[in-house]
């Protein structure tokens, strides 16, 4: 009887899962499509850009984009105050912002996950210290910390990247700690221990693969926050410094010309908005997909 | 209960084992209540025998298994395996020793990593203890799976693709591929259908004969215990109240609690067809947080006297063999 049910359930069981996975709402499809576009831009910005992003041409300053009768041939999105091609700058800015956010998110994820595992493994004092740091980090407005650090130590790309990494690590730490604490009590974790495995093998081979789902989802939710932090700091002039550019920095520069050449600020602003929105939509969908209780 | 001179040296000697769990404080600065899960448990295991530990759920029998394997740190007591005192062994020594001391779980599905195929999981013990050449390990694991009846296409399956009995076979294969000497079976068949139970019990017995295994068999199921055990230890509220050979216990249980337990099995009859006189216990087992003074059974025992309410009886040998912790056992038999 039980063998029968197993046999009959087998062939059709995997099919609906794969099918349903691709049955995404139209909004999620759009979001995913936009993210792919952003990924392509971030990878191939140097190939795609029609001009060098630093090339100035003071004869064509603040030219409007293609829809205006004042636009000039070759500069699809117009030019900025130094006559630099806005499209080329936008491509590079997207690349820089995405790369920073990606690296920052990854640093935060790795740092938080490692600390979370350590807290769950050692317990007691280590746990207390890690959770105290988590609470401290969660209680401080991170923008204030970042402002203070950058004001004290001056701006430098690696320091900025490190700050990006520090933003949001505490969510991973808290999440990982909880997941590992419950996974540790599962039969398979006890079994691996009873086999004589070292903790390293237990965590790397068994526990982490089993808890990685929620962590990946957290990654997709944290990513837009990191983009926003980067753009906020760059907007305030504390992030990426000229001549290099980023979406936030473009937004900050464009703000001065909001009344006369509004597109300088609005276009990068729209890119930020749509990218983070897409990421959030996709991440949210992924979370409900991977969480069996919400399926 | 220590081994006498004419018996072979025991493979496992457990003395005075105890486990207390600290419970949350009731008041902010109040004392921490201690829950005594296991108290003063001593026994010897001879190589090749099966000692069953029986008792109600919550009596501490699973804790005994976990303490023997050092999956829980004992609060007191000594464990010697093959003459080696392991009570002060460090983590590395225990890891190395685990090759000889294995565990079979009740919840076989939970005991398997859902993200690895079962042949990989069986091979993992060989990886951990570096047994054989790395390239041969998967092959050896598959042979082991084959010998527990999981042949062919089942080997590359994930745990959720197997039935409960097949999962338990995989768990057994994972424990036995290391060729252990002592296996703690913690309710190995409790979660299985009755028809599958018999298969798994028979498999365990076959493997015991093939590999000369020693089993510490933890179960609440007396019919299974009657089938597999050589000796039986009856546990009540964290203590052994009776240790006897299987035949003696099932035909003539001495301790009032054993008599209640065995008399409760409908088919429990001695070999001569005489029905075991059941003892009716009053009420429910007390909370292990507040064990009664004296004999732990006294509030429920129909034979309890003032002595039972004040003095805790020790396990003492009976003339006919076996050990019983009861002040009045001679009068009751």
């Amino acid at each position: 009887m039980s063998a029968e049910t197993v046999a009959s359930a087998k062939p059709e069981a995997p099919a609906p899962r794969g099918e349903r996975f691709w049955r995404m709402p139209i909004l999620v499809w759009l979001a995913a499509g936009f993210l792919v576009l952003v990924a392509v831009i971030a990878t191939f910005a140097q190939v795609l850009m029609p001009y060098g992003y630093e090339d100035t041409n003071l004869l064509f300053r603040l030219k409007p984009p293609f829809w205006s009768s004042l636009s000039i041939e070759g500069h699809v999105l117009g030019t900025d105050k130094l006559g630099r091609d806005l499209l080329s700058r936008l491509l590079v800015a997207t690349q820089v912002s995405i790369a920073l956010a990606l690296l920052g998110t990854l640093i935060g994820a790795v740092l938080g996950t490692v600390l979370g595992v350590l807290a769950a493994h050692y317990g007691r004092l280590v746990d207390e210290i890690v959770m105290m740091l988590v609470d401290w980090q969660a209680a401080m407005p991170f923008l204030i910390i970042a402002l203070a650090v950058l004001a004290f130590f001056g701006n430098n790309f690696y320091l900025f990247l490190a700050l990006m990494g520090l933003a949001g690590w505490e969510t991973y730490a808290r999440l990982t700690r909880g997941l590992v604490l419950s996974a540790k009590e599962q039969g398979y974790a006890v079994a691996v221990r009873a086999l004589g495995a070292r903790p390293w093998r237990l965590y790397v081979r068994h526990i982490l693969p089993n808890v990685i789902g929620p962590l990946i989802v957290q990654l997709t939710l944290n990513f837009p926050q990191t983009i926003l932090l980067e753009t906020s700091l760059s907007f305030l002039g504390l992030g990426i410094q000229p001549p290099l550019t980023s979406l936030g920095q473009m937004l900050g520069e464009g703000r001065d010309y909001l009344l006369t050449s509004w597109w300088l600020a609005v276009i990068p602003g729209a890119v930020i908005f749509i990218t983070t929105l897409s990421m959030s939509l996709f991440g949210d969908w992924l979370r409900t997909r991977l969480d069996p209780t919400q399926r | 209960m220590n081994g006498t001179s004419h018996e072979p040296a025991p493979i496992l000697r457990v003395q005075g084992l105890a486990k207390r769990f600290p419970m949350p404080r009731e008041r902010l600065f109040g004392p921490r209540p201690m829950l005594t899960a296991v108290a003063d448990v001593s026994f010897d295991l001879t190589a090749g025998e099966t000692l069953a530990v029986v008792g109600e759920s919550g009596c501490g029998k699973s804790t005994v298994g976990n303490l023997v394997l050092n999956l829980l740190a004992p609060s007191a007591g000594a464990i010697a395996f093959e003459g080696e005192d392991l009570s002060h062994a460090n983590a590395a020594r225990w890891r190395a020793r685990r090759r000889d001391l294995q565990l079979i779980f009740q919840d076989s599905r939970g005991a398997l990593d859902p993200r690895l195929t079962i042949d990989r999981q069986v091979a993992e013990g060989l990886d951990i203890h570096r047994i054989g050449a790395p390239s041969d390990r998967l092959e050896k694991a598959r042979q082991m799976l084959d010998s527990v009846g999981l042949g062919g296409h089942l080997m590359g399956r994930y745990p959720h693709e197997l039935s409960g009995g097949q999962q338990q076979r995989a768990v057994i294969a994972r424990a036995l591929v290391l060729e252990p000497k002592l296996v703690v079976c913690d309710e190995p068949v409790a979660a299985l259908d009755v028809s599958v139970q018999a298969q798994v019990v028979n498999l365990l017995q076959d493997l015991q004969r093939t590999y000369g295994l020693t089993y510490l068999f933890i179960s609440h199921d007396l019919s299974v215990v009657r089938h597999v055990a050589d000796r039986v230890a009856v546990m009540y509220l964290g203590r052994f109240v009776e240790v006897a050979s299987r035949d003696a216990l099932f035909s003539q249980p001495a301790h009032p609690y054993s008599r209640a337990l065995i008399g409760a099995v409908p088919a429990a009859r001695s070999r001569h067809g005489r029905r075991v006189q059941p003892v009716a216990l009053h009420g429910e087992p007390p909370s292990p947080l507040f064990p009664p003074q004296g004999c732990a059974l006294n509030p429920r025992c129909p034979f309890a006297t003032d002595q039972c309410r004040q003095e805790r009886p020790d396990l003492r040998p009976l003339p006919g063999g076996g050990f019983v912790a009861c002040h009045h056992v001679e009068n009751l038999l």
Side-chain angles (χ1 to χ4, degrees):
Chain A
M1 158 74 198
S2 78
E4 242 172 62
T5 34
V6 168
S8 65
K10 189 101 316 152
E12 59 195 38
R17 188 182 169 183
E19 215 175 87
R20 261 195 305 176
F21 193 84
W22 296 110
R23 207 181 291 160
M24 299 189 288
I26 186 81
L27 206 58
V28 178
W29 267 113
L30 287 176
F34 187 77
L35 290 176
V36 170
L37 179 70
V38 167
V40 169
I41 288 174
T43 320
F44 300 110
Q46 273 68 17
V47 184
L48 293 171
M49 63 187 192
Y51 299 90
Y53 74 97
E54 291 169 311
D55 294 352
T56 58
N57 187 343
L58 295 177
L59 289 177
F60 298 122
R61 297 172 63 240
L62 300 171
K63 291 295 174 198
F66 62 93
W67 58 75
S68 162
S69 54
L70 297 171
S71 70
I72 41 169
E73 192 102 358
H75 295 286
V76 179
L77 293 183
T79 57
D80 72 355
K81 62 181 176 184
L82 295 175
R84 297 175 293 197
D85 181 47
L86 196 70
L87 177 62
S88 305
R89 288 183 70 72
L90 192 68
L91 295 178
V92 172
T94 306
Q95 184 182 43
V96 168
S97 287
I98 294 290
L100 264 174
L102 204 62
L103 282 173
T105 310
L106 283 179
I107 293 173
V110 171
L111 182 72
T113 307
V114 168
L115 284 174
V117 169
L118 289 178
H121 176 65
Y122 288 105
R124 293 165 188 269
L125 191 64
V126 178
D127 192 15
E128 296 280 335
I129 291 172
V130 170
M131 291 323 281
M132 203 177 72
L133 288 173
V134 164
D135 290 339
W136 185 82
Q137 174 96 38
M140 284 290 277
F142 191 72
L143 204 57
I144 308 284
I145 304 178
L147 282 174
V149 169
L150 291 171
F152 261 117
F153 297 102
N155 197 305
N156 134 359
F157 182 81
Y158 296 102
L159 182 66
F160 190 57
L161 186 60
L163 273 174
M164 295 289 105
L166 274 182
W169 71 271
E170 81 276 4
T171 7
Y172 298 99
R174 222 197 288 260
L175 189 65
T176 310
R177 175 180 172 273
L179 290 168
V180 171
L181 278 180
S182 81
K184 258 173 73 174
E185 301 306 318
Q186 300 282 315
Y188 68 84
V190 180
V192 170
R193 217 149 58 82
L195 280 176
R198 288 165 194 279
W200 177 257
R201 172 182 283 269
L202 174 66
Y203 288 114
V204 172
R205 244 181 89 93
H206 296 279
I207 289 187
L208 277 182
N210 274 291
V211 302
I212 200 88
L215 290 176
I216 288 178
V217 172
Q218 179 58 34
L219 207 76
T220 66
L221 296 177
N222 184 223
F223 188 69
Q225 290 171 10
T226 317
I227 295 184
L228 289 180
L229 179 68
E230 185 275 324
T231 48
S232 311
L233 284 170
S234 294
F235 176 82
L236 294 173
L238 288 159
I240 293 299
Q241 297 299 310
L244 196 59
T245 189
S246 78
L247 291 175
Q249 199 223 7
M250 283 181 77
L251 190 67
E253 277 184 4
R255 190 184 50 131
D256 299 338
Y257 302 89
L258 213 48
L259 289 181
T260 50
S261 313
W262 53 267
W263 55 87
L264 288 180
V266 169
I267 291 175
V271 172
I272 296 170
F273 172 68
I274 301 175
T275 309
T276 51
L277 182 67
S278 302
M279 204 72 204
S280 296
L281 282 171
F282 187 72
D284 211 33
W285 175 81
L286 199 65
R287 189 187 58 198
T288 44
R289 261 321 306 173
L290 291 179
D291 186 351
T293 59
Q294 294 198 25
R295 212 170 280 166
Chain B
M1 211 180 332
N2 299 331
T4 47
S5 53
H6 61 270
E7 282 176 3
I11 186 168
L12 178 79
R13 167 163 289 186
V14 171
Q15 280 174 318
L17 201 60
K19 181 66 190 178
R20 289 181 291 275
F21 293 105
M23 301 303 283
R25 290 175 222 278
E26 281 155 358
R27 281 168 292 129
L28 187 54
F29 295 107
R32 294 199 110 177
M34 297 299 264
L35 184 146
T36 304
V38 171
D40 196 24
V41 163
S42 304
F43 61 91
D44 286 355
L45 269 177
T46 318
E49 80 164 334
T50 300
L51 173 67
V53 180
V54 300
E56 290 160 298
S57 15
C59 72
K61 53 192 194 298
S62 285
T63 308
V64 169
N66 285 329
L67 290 171
V68 164
L69 295 175
N70 200 42
L71 294 173
L72 280 174
S75 308
I79 294 163
F81 181 69
E82 293 185 312
E84 181 188 357
D85 180 13
L86 288 174
S87 24
H88 303 292
N90 60 19
R93 183 71 200 132
W94 262 109
R95 278 201 294 271
R97 254 335 194 162
R98 292 197 186 287
R99 190 179 166 177
D100 295 325
L101 293 153
Q102 273 301 313
L103 172 64
I104 293 172
F105 291 83
Q106 170 176 10
D107 172 19
S108 49
R109 171 144 195 194
L112 293 165
D113 188 331
R115 290 188 178 248
L116 287 176
T117 55
I118 54 166
D119 50 356
R120 288 244 57 102
Q121 297 198 47
V122 173
E124 183 158 28
L126 301 172
D127 285 338
I128 290 168
H129 294 279
R130 298 208 171 85
I131 300 169
S135 50
D136 301 338
R137 288 175 191 155
L138 201 58
E139 191 46 43
K140 197 178 173 203
R142 291 191 170 143
Q143 284 168 12
M144 192 68 228
L145 279 165
D146 203 32
S147 67
V148 298
L150 283 181
H153 59 286
L154 292 172
M155 293 174 176
R157 291 264 176 97
Y158 288 91
H160 69 269
E161 299 174 323
L162 300 178
S163 71
Q166 290 169 335
Q167 287 167 355
Q168 191 58 290
R169 286 166 191 270
V171 169
I172 292 170
R174 180 175 62 185
L176 296 192
V177 76
L178 293 173
E179 295 171 19
K181 292 168 180 155
L182 171 71
V183 180
V184 174
C185 306
D186 188 0
E187 304 261 17
V189 297
L192 302 177
D193 288 347
V194 178
S195 56
V196 184
Q197 275 189 5
Q199 293 171 13
V200 171
V201 165
N202 289 338
L203 173 69
L204 285 171
Q205 288 189 304
D206 290 344
L207 292 165
Q208 181 171 37
R209 276 190 290 276
T210 314
Y211 296 100
L213 299 170
T214 311
Y215 284 148
L216 183 63
F217 196 95
I218 295 157
S219 181
H220 66 266
D221 187 336
L222 291 173
S223 52
V224 171
V225 166
R226 190 170 198 180
H227 194 61
V228 301
D230 298 311
R231 284 191 302 145
V232 183
V234 180
M235 213 170 164
Y236 183 76
L237 228 60
R239 289 169 194 275
F240 280 6
V241 294
E242 179 164 3
V243 183
S245 74
R246 172 193 52 184
D247 292 340
L249 186 83
F250 279 94
S251 61
Q252 204 173 33
H255 195 279
Y257 181 68
S258 315
R259 288 169 61 180
L261 210 58
I262 294 189
V265 180
R269 285 169 197 281
S270 74
R271 266 181 304 186
H272 319 292
R274 185 163 56 88
R275 183 106 169 69
V276 168
Q277 275 304 309
V279 169
L281 297 179
H282 319 299
E284 294 289 310
S287 156
L289 263 180
F290 308 104
Q293 215 189 348
C295 175
L297 192 64
N298 83 66
R300 303 177 68 194
C301 180
F303 313 111
T305 61
D306 282 344
Q307 190 190 11
C308 301
R309 284 183 267 276
Q310 278 146 25
E311 267 177 61
R312 181 186 300 131
D314 290 326
L315 269 181
R316 57 203 167 92
L318 277 181
F323 297 82
V324 176
C326 178
H327 291 303
H328 306 300
V329 64
E330 284 82 2
N331 311 331
L332 299 178
L333 278 176

